[in-house]
Amino acid sequence: MASEQERTLGRWREAAKDSAGGSAVEFALVLPVLLTILFSIMKFGVTLNADLQLTDGVRAATRQFSMSRSSASPYTLATTALQNATPNLTYANVGGASGAKTPTFKVNGTACSSDAGCATALSAAIGGTSSLTATYPCDLNIMGVNLAPNCTLTASTSDLVE
């Protein structure tokens, strides 16, 4: 007859041979890593999309701005073009150069921020350059870890005033 100690040891040996829960334990260990990779890919994709939209929006707005020399509202037309070209961005978050709250429009290097000021500057700048700089904050917070705390997307372009 086997002693109590031998029976307990036998049960432990049988339990050690049984691997029914091993897959669940392995999955529980690997799942956080897989989720982090998945969420990182998604977050970087959203950030790249925002960067592409901002770049395209700045291009479209600068083009509109440079063609609005004879318009009474070049600033409004250009900001509308920027809004229309960036439908997935929150326009209230679009800023300008050096932390400005709105996109920075310039004519021959001089900033303008109203229809009247931009119309005057553009009318005297035929053949000169018009430019636009816009910024947009990006969020790279993945599972509670902020990978780029002060991430800001920036797009800038210039065009000849027509």
Side-chain angles (χ1 to χ4, degrees):
M1 185 182 280
S3 71
E4 181 67 28
Q5 188 177 25
E6 290 173 346
R7 282 192 300 246
T8 304
L9 186 58
R11 282 186 290 225
W12 278 103
R13 285 184 185 143
E14 286 298 317
K17 291 178 185 176
D18 184 19
S19 63
S23 297
V25 171
E26 290 173 6
F27 182 71
L29 291 173
V30 172
L31 184 63
V33 175
L34 292 176
L35 287 176
T36 301
I37 292 169
L38 176 69
F39 290 143
S40 299
I41 290 169
M42 289 170 40
K43 199 64 121 162
F44 282 114
V46 169
T47 301
L48 286 174
N49 183 33
D51 186 49
L52 287 171
Q53 280 197 24
L54 184 66
T55 301
D56 186 53
V58 166
R59 182 204 49 78
T62 303
R63 185 71 187 134
Q64 178 63 48
F65 190 63
S66 69
M67 293 187 315
S68 300
R69 189 172 59 84
S70 60
S71 173
S73 56
Y75 184 82
T76 301
L77 290 171
T79 54
T80 301
L82 180 58
Q83 284 177 321
N84 291 340
T86 56
N88 293 332
L89 301 183
T90 305
Y91 188 74
N93 293 338
V94 176
S98 303
K101 299 285 184 202
T102 58
T104 306
F105 288 91
K106 292 184 180 180
V107 178
N108 286 335
T110 304
C112 64
S113 58
S114 67
D115 282 327
C118 291
T120 303
L122 284 170
S123 65
I126 190 166
T129 60
S130 63
S131 64
L132 169 60
T133 301
T135 60
Y136 191 76
C138 61
D139 174 26
L140 289 175
N141 192 352
I142 299 166
M143 296 182 77
V145 177
N146 196 352
L147 299 178
N150 297 318
C151 178
T152 303
L153 305 173
T154 303
S156 183
T157 191
S158 60
D159 205 349
L160 290 176
V161 176
E162 295 180 14

